Each structure stands twice: as structure tokens, then as C-alpha cells.
Coordinates of all heavy atoms in Angstrom, one line a residue:
M870 N 86.9 15.5 124.4 CA 88.0 16.2 123.7 C 88.4 17.4 124.5 O 87.5 18.2 124.9 CB 87.6 16.5 122.3 CG 88.6 17.4 121.6 SD 88.1 18.0 120.0 CE 87.9 16.5 119.1
S871 N 89.6 17.6 124.6 CA 90.2 18.8 125.4 C 89.9 20.1 124.6 O 89.9 20.1 123.3 CB 91.7 18.6 125.6 OG 92.2 19.8 126.1
H872 N 89.7 21.1 125.3 CA 89.4 22.4 124.6 C 90.7 22.9 123.9 O 90.6 23.6 122.9 CB 89.0 23.5 125.6 CG 90.0 23.8 126.7 ND1 90.2 23.0 127.7 CD2 90.8 24.8 126.8 CE1 91.2 23.5 128.5 NE2 91.5 24.6 128.0
T873 N 91.9 22.5 124.4 CA 93.1 23.0 123.7 C 93.2 22.3 122.3 O 93.8 22.8 121.4 CB 94.3 22.8 124.5 OG1 94.4 21.4 124.9 CG2 94.3 23.7 125.7
I874 N 92.7 21.1 122.2 CA 92.7 20.3 120.9 C 91.6 20.9 120.0 O 91.9 21.2 118.9 CB 92.5 18.8 121.2 CG1 93.7 18.3 121.9 CG2 92.3 18.1 119.8 CD1 93.5 16.8 122.4
R875 N 90.5 21.1 120.6 CA 89.3 21.7 119.8 C 89.6 23.1 119.2 O 89.3 23.4 118.1 CB 88.1 21.7 120.7 CG 86.8 22.1 119.9 CD 85.6 22.2 120.8 NE 85.8 23.4 121.6 CZ 85.3 23.5 122.8 NH1 84.5 22.6 123.3 NH2 85.5 24.6 123.5
D876 N 90.3 23.9 120.0 CA 90.6 25.3 119.6 C 92.1 25.4 119.2 O 92.7 26.5 119.3 CB 90.4 26.2 120.8 CG 88.9 26.2 121.2 OD1 88.0 26.0 120.4 OD2 88.6 26.5 122.4
K877 N 92.7 24.3 118.8 CA 94.1 24.3 118.5 C 94.6 25.4 117.5 O 95.5 26.1 117.8 CB 94.5 22.9 117.9 CG 96.0 22.7 117.6 CD 96.2 21.3 117.1 CE 97.6 21.1 116.7 NZ 97.9 19.7 116.3
K878 N 93.9 25.5 116.4 CA 94.3 26.5 115.4 C 94.2 27.9 116.0 O 95.2 28.7 115.8 CB 93.4 26.4 114.2 CG 93.8 27.5 113.1 CD 93.1 27.3 111.8 CE 93.5 28.4 110.8 NZ 94.5 29.4 111.1
K879 N 93.2 28.3 116.7 CA 93.0 29.6 117.2 C 94.1 29.9 118.3 O 94.7 31.0 118.3 CB 91.6 29.7 117.9 CG 91.3 31.1 118.5 CD 89.9 31.3 118.8 CE 89.5 30.3 120.0 NZ 88.2 30.6 120.5
L880 N 94.4 28.9 119.1 CA 95.4 29.1 120.1 C 96.8 29.2 119.5 O 97.6 30.0 119.9 CB 95.4 27.9 121.2 CG 94.1 27.9 122.0 CD1 94.1 26.6 122.8 CD2 94.0 29.1 122.9
L881 N 97.1 28.4 118.5 CA 98.4 28.4 117.8 C 98.6 29.8 117.1 O 99.7 30.3 117.1 CB 98.6 27.3 116.9 CG 98.8 25.9 117.5 CD1 98.8 24.8 116.5 CD2 100.1 25.9 118.3
D882 N 97.5 30.3 116.5 CA 97.6 31.6 115.9 C 98.0 32.7 116.9 O 98.8 33.6 116.6 CB 96.2 32.0 115.2 CG 96.0 31.2 113.9 OD1 96.9 30.6 113.4 OD2 94.8 31.2 113.5
R883 N 97.4 32.6 118.1 CA 97.8 33.6 119.2 C 99.2 33.4 119.5 O 99.9 34.4 119.7 CB 96.9 33.3 120.4 CG 95.6 33.9 120.4 CD 94.9 33.6 121.7 NE 93.6 34.3 121.8 CZ 93.5 35.5 122.5 NH1 94.5 36.1 123.0 NH2 92.3 36.1 122.5
V884 N 99.7 32.2 119.7 CA 101.1 31.9 120.0 C 102.0 32.5 119.0 O 103.1 33.1 119.3 CB 101.3 30.4 120.3 CG1 102.8 30.1 120.4 CG2 100.6 30.0 121.5
R885 N 101.6 32.3 117.7 CA 102.5 32.8 116.6 C 102.5 34.3 116.6 O 103.6 34.9 116.3 CB 102.0 32.2 115.3 CG 102.3 30.7 115.2 CD 101.8 30.1 113.9 NE 102.0 28.7 113.9 CZ 101.1 27.7 113.9 NH1 99.8 28.1 113.7 NH2 101.4 26.5 113.9
R886 N 101.4 35.0 116.9 CA 101.4 36.4 117.0 C 102.4 36.9 118.2 O 103.1 37.8 118.0 CB 100.0 37.0 117.3 CG 99.2 37.1 116.0 CD 98.0 37.9 116.2 NE 97.0 37.4 117.1 CZ 96.1 36.5 116.9 NH1 96.0 35.9 115.7 NH2 95.3 36.0 117.9
I887 N 102.3 36.2 119.3 CA 103.2 36.5 120.4 C 104.6 36.3 120.0 O 105.5 37.1 120.3 CB 102.8 35.7 121.7 CG1 101.4 36.1 122.2 CG2 103.8 35.8 122.8 CD1 100.8 35.1 123.1
R888 N 104.9 35.2 119.3 CA 106.3 34.9 118.8 C 106.8 36.1 118.0 O 107.9 36.5 118.1 CB 106.3 33.6 118.1 CG 107.8 33.3 117.7 CD 107.9 32.1 116.8 NE 107.2 30.9 117.4 CZ 106.5 30.0 116.6 NH1 106.5 30.1 115.3 NH2 105.9 29.0 117.2
G889 N 105.9 36.6 117.1 CA 106.3 37.7 116.3 C 106.6 39.0 117.1 O 107.5 39.8 116.8
Q890 N 105.8 39.2 118.1 CA 106.0 40.3 119.0 C 107.3 40.2 119.7 O 108.1 41.2 119.8 CB 104.9 40.5 120.0 CG 103.5 40.9 119.5 CD 102.4 40.8 120.5 OE1 102.3 39.9 121.3 NE2 101.5 41.8 120.4
V891 N 107.7 39.0 120.2 CA 108.9 38.8 120.9 C 110.1 39.0 119.9 O 111.1 39.7 120.2 CB 109.0 37.4 121.5 CG1 110.4 37.1 122.1 CG2 108.0 37.3 122.7
A892 N 109.9 38.6 118.7 CA 111.0 38.8 117.7 C 111.2 40.3 117.4 O 112.3 40.7 117.2 CB 110.6 38.0 116.4
G893 N 110.1 41.0 117.4 CA 110.1 42.4 117.2 C 110.9 43.1 118.4 O 111.6 44.1 118.1
I894 N 110.7 42.7 119.6 CA 111.4 43.2 120.7 C 112.9 42.9 120.6 O 113.7 43.8 120.8 CB 110.8 42.6 122.0 CG1 109.4 43.1 122.3 CG2 111.7 43.0 123.2 CD1 108.7 42.3 123.4
E895 N 113.2 41.7 120.2 CA 114.6 41.4 120.1 C 115.3 42.3 119.0 O 116.4 42.8 119.2 CB 114.7 39.9 119.6 CG 116.2 39.4 119.5 CD 116.3 38.0 119.0 OE1 115.2 37.4 118.6 OE2 117.4 37.4 119.1
K896 N 114.6 42.5 117.9 CA 115.2 43.3 116.8 C 115.3 44.7 117.3 O 116.3 45.4 117.0 CB 114.2 43.2 115.6 CG 114.8 44.0 114.4 CD 113.9 43.8 113.2 CE 114.4 44.6 112.0 NZ 113.5 44.6 110.9
A897 N 114.3 45.2 118.0 CA 114.4 46.6 118.5 C 115.6 46.8 119.4 O 116.2 47.8 119.4 CB 113.1 47.0 119.2
L898 N 115.8 45.8 120.3 CA 116.9 45.9 121.2 C 118.3 45.8 120.4 O 119.2 46.6 120.7 CB 116.9 44.7 122.2 CG 115.8 44.9 123.3 CD1 115.6 43.6 124.0 CD2 116.1 46.0 124.2
E899 N 118.3 44.9 119.5 CA 119.6 44.8 118.7 C 119.9 46.1 117.9 O 121.0 46.5 117.8 CB 119.5 43.6 117.7 CG 119.5 42.3 118.3 CD 119.3 41.1 117.3 OE1 118.8 41.4 116.2 OE2 119.5 40.0 117.7
E900 N 118.8 46.8 117.4 CA 119.0 48.0 116.7 C 119.1 49.2 117.6 O 119.1 50.3 117.1 CB 117.8 48.1 115.7 CG 117.9 47.1 114.6 CD 116.6 47.1 113.7 OE1 115.7 47.9 113.9 OE2 116.6 46.3 112.7
E901 N 119.0 49.0 118.9 CA 119.1 50.1 119.9 C 118.0 51.2 119.6 O 118.3 52.4 119.6 CB 120.5 50.7 119.9 CG 121.6 49.7 120.3 CD 123.0 50.2 120.3 OE1 123.2 51.4 120.0 OE2 123.9 49.4 120.4
R902 N 116.8 50.7 119.4 CA 115.7 51.6 119.1 C 115.3 52.4 120.4 O 115.7 52.0 121.5 CB 114.5 50.8 118.6 CG 114.7 49.9 117.4 CD 114.6 50.5 116.1 NE 113.4 51.3 115.9 CZ 112.3 50.9 115.2 NH1 112.3 49.7 114.7 NH2 111.3 51.7 115.0
D903 N 114.4 53.3 120.2 CA 114.0 54.1 121.4 C 113.4 53.3 122.5 O 112.5 52.4 122.2 CB 112.9 55.1 120.8 CG 112.3 56.0 121.9 OD1 112.9 56.1 123.0 OD2 111.2 56.5 121.6
P904 N 113.8 53.5 123.7 CA 113.3 52.6 124.8 C 111.8 52.7 125.0 O 111.2 51.7 125.4 CB 114.0 53.2 126.0 CG 115.3 53.8 125.5 CD 114.9 54.3 124.1
A905 N 111.2 53.8 124.7 CA 109.7 53.9 124.8 C 109.0 52.9 123.8 O 108.0 52.3 124.2 CB 109.2 55.3 124.5
L906 N 109.6 52.8 122.6 CA 109.0 51.9 121.6 C 109.2 50.4 122.1 O 108.3 49.6 122.0 CB 109.7 52.0 120.3 CG 109.4 53.4 119.6 CD1 110.3 53.5 118.3 CD2 107.9 53.5 119.2
I907 N 110.3 50.2 122.7 CA 110.6 48.8 123.3 C 109.6 48.5 124.4 O 109.1 47.4 124.5 CB 112.1 48.7 123.7 CG1 113.0 48.8 122.5 CG2 112.3 47.4 124.4 CD1 114.4 48.9 122.8
L908 N 109.4 49.5 125.3 CA 108.5 49.3 126.4 C 107.1 49.0 125.9 O 106.3 48.2 126.4 CB 108.5 50.5 127.3 CG 109.8 50.6 128.2 CD1 109.8 52.0 128.9 CD2 109.9 49.5 129.2
H909 N 106.6 49.7 124.9 CA 105.3 49.5 124.3 C 105.2 48.1 123.7 O 104.2 47.4 123.9 CB 105.0 50.6 123.2 CG 104.5 51.9 123.8 ND1 103.3 52.1 124.4 CD2 105.2 53.0 124.0 CE1 103.2 53.3 124.8 NE2 104.3 53.9 124.6
A910 N 106.3 47.7 123.1 CA 106.3 46.3 122.5 C 106.2 45.2 123.6 O 105.5 44.2 123.4 CB 107.5 46.1 121.6
I911 N 106.9 45.5 124.6 CA 106.9 44.5 125.8 C 105.5 44.5 126.4 O 105.0 43.4 126.6 CB 107.9 44.9 126.8 CG1 109.3 44.7 126.3 CG2 107.7 44.1 128.1 CD1 110.4 45.3 127.1
A912 N 104.8 45.6 126.5 CA 103.5 45.7 127.1 C 102.5 44.9 126.2 O 101.6 44.2 126.6 CB 103.0 47.1 127.3
S913 N 102.7 45.1 124.9 CA 101.8 44.4 123.9 C 102.0 42.9 124.0 O 101.0 42.1 123.9 CB 102.1 44.9 122.5 OG 101.7 46.2 122.3
C914 N 103.2 42.5 124.1 CA 103.5 41.1 124.2 C 102.9 40.5 125.5 O 102.3 39.4 125.5 CB 105.0 40.9 124.2 SG 105.5 39.1 124.2
R915 N 103.0 41.2 126.6 CA 102.4 40.8 127.8 C 100.9 40.7 127.7 O 100.3 39.7 128.2 CB 102.8 41.8 129.0 CG 102.2 41.4 130.3 CD 102.6 42.3 131.4 NE 101.9 41.9 132.6 CZ 101.7 42.7 133.6 NH1 102.0 43.9 133.5 NH2 101.0 42.2 134.7
G916 N 100.3 41.6 127.0 CA 98.9 41.6 126.8 C 98.5 40.4 126.0 O 97.5 39.7 126.3
G917 N 99.3 40.0 125.0 CA 99.0 38.8 124.2 C 99.1 37.6 125.1 O 98.3 36.7 124.9
M918 N 100.1 37.5 125.9 CA 100.2 36.3 126.8 C 99.0 36.3 127.8 O 98.5 35.2 128.0 CB 101.5 36.4 127.6 CG 102.8 36.1 126.7 SD 102.8 34.5 126.1 CE 103.1 33.5 127.6
N919 N 98.6 37.4 128.3 CA 97.5 37.4 129.2 C 96.2 37.0 128.5 O 95.4 36.2 129.1 CB 97.3 38.8 129.8 CG 98.4 39.1 130.9 OD1 99.1 38.2 131.4 ND2 98.5 40.3 131.3
G920 N 96.0 37.4 127.3 CA 94.9 37.0 126.5 C 94.9 35.5 126.3 O 93.8 34.8 126.4
L921 N 96.0 34.9 125.9 CA 96.2 33.5 125.7 C 95.8 32.8 127.0 O 95.1 31.8 127.0 CB 97.6 33.2 125.2 CG 97.9 31.7 125.1 CD1 97.0 31.1 124.0 CD2 99.4 31.5 124.7
M922 N 96.4 33.2 128.1 CA 96.1 32.6 129.4 C 94.6 32.6 129.7 O 94.1 31.6 130.2 CB 96.9 33.3 130.5 CG 96.6 32.9 131.9 SD 97.2 31.2 132.3 CE 98.9 31.6 132.6
A923 N 94.0 33.8 129.5 CA 92.5 33.9 129.8 C 91.7 32.9 129.0 O 90.8 32.3 129.5 CB 92.1 35.3 129.6
E924 N 92.1 32.8 127.7 CA 91.3 31.9 126.8 C 91.5 30.4 127.2 O 90.5 29.7 127.2 CB 91.8 32.1 125.4 CG 91.0 31.3 124.4 CD 90.8 32.0 123.1 OE1 91.1 33.2 123.0 OE2 90.3 31.4 122.2
V925 N 92.7 30.0 127.6 CA 92.9 28.6 127.9 C 92.2 28.4 129.3 O 91.6 27.3 129.5 CB 94.4 28.3 128.0 CG1 94.7 26.9 128.6 CG2 95.0 28.3 126.6
M926 N 92.3 29.3 130.2 CA 91.6 29.1 131.5 C 90.1 29.0 131.4 O 89.5 28.2 132.0 CB 92.0 30.2 132.5 CG 93.5 30.1 133.0 SD 93.9 31.4 134.1 CE 93.2 30.8 135.6
E927 N 89.6 29.9 130.5 CA 88.1 29.9 130.3 C 87.7 28.5 129.8 O 86.7 27.9 130.3 CB 87.7 31.0 129.3 CG 86.2 31.0 129.1 CD 85.7 32.1 128.1 OE1 86.6 32.9 127.7 OE2 84.6 32.1 127.8
G928 N 88.4 28.0 128.8 CA 88.0 26.7 128.2 C 88.2 25.6 129.3 O 87.3 24.7 129.3
H929 N 89.2 25.7 130.1 CA 89.4 24.7 131.1 C 88.2 24.7 132.1 O 87.7 23.6 132.5 CB 90.7 24.9 131.9 CG 91.0 23.9 132.9 ND1 91.4 22.6 132.5 CD2 91.0 23.9 134.2 CE1 91.6 21.9 133.6 NE2 91.3 22.7 134.7
I930 N 87.8 25.9 132.5 CA 86.7 26.0 133.5 C 85.4 25.4 132.9 O 84.7 24.7 133.5 CB 86.5 27.5 133.9 CG1 87.7 27.9 134.8 CG2 85.2 27.7 134.7 CD1 87.8 29.4 135.0
Q931 N 85.1 25.8 131.7 CA 83.9 25.4 131.0 C 83.9 23.9 130.8 O 82.8 23.3 130.9 CB 83.7 26.2 129.7 CG 83.4 27.6 130.0 CD 83.2 28.4 128.7 OE1 83.7 28.0 127.6 NE2 82.6 29.6 128.8
L932 N 85.0 23.3 130.4 CA 84.9 21.9 129.9 C 85.4 20.9 131.0 O 85.0 19.8 131.0 CB 85.8 21.7 128.7 CG 85.2 22.4 127.4 CD1 86.2 22.3 126.3 CD2 83.8 21.9 127.1
H933 N 86.2 21.4 131.9 CA 86.8 20.4 132.9 C 86.3 20.7 134.3 O 86.2 19.7 135.1 CB 88.3 20.4 132.8 CG 88.8 20.0 131.5 ND1 88.7 18.7 131.0 CD2 89.4 20.7 130.5 CE1 89.2 18.7 129.8 NE2 89.6 19.9 129.4
V934 N 86.1 21.9 134.7 CA 85.6 22.2 136.0 C 84.1 22.0 136.1 O 83.6 21.3 137.0 CB 86.0 23.6 136.5 CG1 85.5 23.9 137.8 CG2 87.6 23.7 136.5
L935 N 83.4 22.6 135.2 CA 81.9 22.4 135.1 C 81.5 21.0 134.7 O 80.4 20.6 135.1 CB 81.3 23.5 134.2 CG 81.2 24.9 134.7 CD1 80.5 25.8 133.7 CD2 80.4 24.9 136.1
D936 N 82.2 20.4 133.8 CA 81.9 19.1 133.3 C 80.5 19.1 132.7 O 79.5 18.7 133.3 CB 82.0 18.0 134.4 CG 81.8 16.6 133.8 OD1 81.8 16.5 132.5 OD2 81.8 15.6 134.6
E937 N 80.4 19.6 131.5 CA 79.1 19.8 130.8 C 78.3 18.5 130.7 O 77.1 18.6 130.4 CB 79.3 20.5 129.5 CG 80.2 19.8 128.5 CD 80.6 20.6 127.3 OE1 80.5 21.8 127.3 OE2 81.0 20.0 126.3
R938 N 78.9 17.4 130.8 CA 78.2 16.1 130.8 C 77.2 16.0 131.9 O 76.2 15.3 131.9 CB 79.1 14.9 130.7 CG 80.0 14.8 129.5 CD 81.0 13.7 129.6 NE 81.9 14.1 130.7 CZ 82.8 13.4 131.2 NH1 83.0 12.1 130.8 NH2 83.6 13.8 132.2
R939 N 77.5 16.7 133.0 CA 76.7 16.6 134.2 C 75.6 17.7 134.3 O 74.9 17.8 135.3 CB 77.6 16.6 135.5 CG 78.5 15.5 135.6 CD 79.3 15.6 136.8 NE 79.4 14.3 137.4 CZ 79.4 14.1 138.7 NH1 79.5 15.1 139.5 NH2 79.5 12.9 139.2
R940 N 75.6 18.5 133.3 CA 74.6 19.6 133.3 C 74.7 20.4 134.6 O 73.9 20.2 135.5 CB 73.2 19.1 133.1 CG 73.0 18.3 131.9 CD 72.5 19.2 130.8 NE 72.1 18.3 129.6 CZ 72.4 18.6 128.4 NH1 72.9 19.8 128.2 NH2 72.0 17.9 127.4
P941 N 75.6 21.4 134.7 CA 75.8 22.2 135.9 C 74.5 23.0 136.2 O 73.8 23.4 135.3 CB 76.9 23.1 135.6 CG 77.0 23.1 134.1 CD 76.5 21.8 133.6
G942 N 74.2 23.1 137.5 CA 73.1 23.9 137.9 C 73.3 25.4 137.6 O 74.4 25.8 137.3
R943 N 72.2 26.1 137.7 CA 72.2 27.6 137.4 C 73.3 28.3 138.3 O 74.0 29.1 137.8 CB 70.9 28.2 137.7 CG 70.8 29.6 137.3 CD 69.5 30.2 137.4 NE 68.5 29.4 136.7 CZ 67.2 29.7 136.6 NH1 66.7 30.7 137.2 NH2 66.4 28.9 135.9
G944 N 73.3 27.9 139.6 CA 74.3 28.6 140.5 C 75.7 28.3 140.1 O 76.6 29.2 140.1
Q945 N 76.0 27.0 139.8 CA 77.3 26.6 139.4 C 77.7 27.3 138.1 O 78.9 27.8 138.0 CB 77.4 25.1 139.3 CG 78.8 24.6 139.1 CD 78.8 23.1 139.0 OE1 77.8 22.4 138.7 NE2 80.0 22.5 139.2
A946 N 76.8 27.3 137.1 CA 77.1 28.0 135.9 C 77.4 29.5 136.0 O 78.3 30.0 135.4 CB 76.0 27.7 134.8
E947 N 76.6 30.1 136.9 CA 76.8 31.5 137.2 C 78.1 31.8 137.9 O 78.8 32.8 137.6 CB 75.6 32.1 138.0 CG 75.7 33.5 138.4 CD 75.8 34.5 137.2 OE1 75.4 34.1 136.1 OE2 76.2 35.6 137.4
S948 N 78.4 31.0 138.8 CA 79.7 31.1 139.5 C 80.9 31.0 138.6 O 81.9 31.7 138.6 CB 79.8 30.1 140.6 OG 78.9 30.3 141.7
A949 N 80.8 30.0 137.6 CA 81.8 29.8 136.6 C 81.9 31.1 135.8 O 83.0 31.5 135.4 CB 81.6 28.6 135.8
R950 N 80.8 31.6 135.3 CA 80.8 32.8 134.5 C 81.5 34.0 135.2 O 82.3 34.7 134.7 CB 79.4 33.2 134.1 CG 79.3 34.4 133.1 CD 77.9 34.9 133.0 NE 77.3 35.5 134.2 CZ 77.7 36.6 134.8 NH1 78.7 37.4 134.2 NH2 77.2 37.1 135.9
Q951 N 81.1 34.1 136.5 CA 81.7 35.2 137.3 C 83.2 35.0 137.5 O 84.0 36.0 137.3 CB 81.1 35.3 138.7 CG 79.7 35.8 138.7 CD 79.0 35.7 140.0 OE1 79.5 35.1 141.0 NE2 77.8 36.2 140.1
L952 N 83.7 33.8 137.7 CA 85.1 33.5 137.8 C 85.8 33.8 136.5 O 86.9 34.5 136.5 CB 85.3 32.0 138.2 CG 86.8 31.5 138.2 CD1 87.5 32.3 139.3 CD2 86.8 30.0 138.5
I953 N 85.2 33.5 135.4 CA 85.8 33.8 134.1 C 85.9 35.3 133.9 O 87.0 35.8 133.4 CB 85.0 33.1 132.9 CG1 85.2 31.6 133.0 CG2 85.4 33.7 131.6 CD1 84.2 30.8 132.1
E954 N 84.9 36.0 134.3 CA 85.0 37.5 134.2 C 86.1 38.1 135.0 O 86.8 39.0 134.6 CB 83.6 38.1 134.6 CG 82.5 38.0 133.5 CD 81.3 38.7 134.0 OE1 81.3 39.5 135.0 OE2 80.2 38.4 133.4
V955 N 86.2 37.6 136.2 CA 87.3 38.1 137.1 C 88.7 37.8 136.6 O 89.5 38.6 136.6 CB 87.1 37.4 138.6 CG1 88.3 37.7 139.4 CG2 85.9 38.0 139.2
I956 N 88.8 36.6 136.0 CA 90.1 36.2 135.5 C 90.4 37.1 134.3 O 91.6 37.6 134.2 CB 90.1 34.7 135.0 CG1 90.1 33.8 136.2 CG2 91.3 34.4 134.1 CD1 89.8 32.4 135.9
K957 N 89.5 37.4 133.4 CA 89.7 38.2 132.3 C 90.0 39.6 132.7 O 91.0 40.3 132.1 CB 88.5 38.2 131.3 CG 88.4 36.9 130.5 CD 87.2 37.0 129.6 CE 87.1 35.8 128.7 NZ 86.0 35.8 127.8
A958 N 89.3 40.2 133.7 CA 89.6 41.5 134.2 C 91.0 41.6 134.8 O 91.8 42.5 134.6 CB 88.6 41.9 135.2
Y959 N 91.4 40.6 135.6 CA 92.7 40.5 136.2 C 93.8 40.5 135.2 O 94.9 41.1 135.4 CB 92.8 39.3 137.1 CG 94.1 39.2 137.8 CD1 94.4 40.0 138.9 CD2 95.1 38.3 137.4 CE1 95.6 39.9 139.6 CE2 96.3 38.2 138.0 CZ 96.6 39.0 139.1 OH 97.8 38.9 139.7
L960 N 93.6 39.8 134.1 CA 94.7 39.6 133.1 C 94.7 40.7 132.1 O 95.6 40.7 131.2 CB 94.5 38.2 132.4 CG 94.8 37.0 133.3 CD1 94.5 35.7 132.6 CD2 96.2 37.0 133.8
K961 N 93.8 41.7 132.2 CA 93.9 42.8 131.2 C 95.1 43.7 131.5 O 95.6 43.9 132.5 CB 92.6 43.7 131.3 CG 91.5 43.1 130.4 CD 90.4 44.1 130.3 CE 89.5 43.6 129.3 NZ 88.4 44.5 129.0

């Protein structure tokens, strides 16, 4: 089973929060709100997208790159863990 199917509710909840953030940006622009507030909202939205990307990538690495059916070796599992950490740090 794909990790996106297994974690469907959690991922969809993230997408819905991002959708709400984008709607908030649209409303702020329509209402000609303070540009600083709009910039903060855009940064928050970007953070949400990066978090979603990191979560989907982590699941993909764990379930499809490592292939848990083959029991990855200690070195392979450690390399995957390090890769996941780098991706999360990059996307912060």
C-alpha cells in the first residue's frame, strides 16, 4: 500500500490548511491589507507546502526506496535517515 493512501487523512488535512492559508492571502490582497501581513501569510503558506513536501518525500523514501520487505541493512537505513534529515532541514 502506498504511503499516500495510508496517510491520506493526515495529508489531506495539511492540504486543506494550505488551501485556507491561500484563501487568506487572496482576501488580504482584495482588502488591500498591510503588505507586511501579506508577506507573513505567504511565508506561512510556503512553510506549509514545504512541510507537506517533506512528509510525502519521507514516506516515499521509507516505503519505496528502502523497500521494507527486503529488510534494509544498517548502513542503508542510516543513509535514508540522514537523507530525510537533510530534506527536512532544506525545506524549513
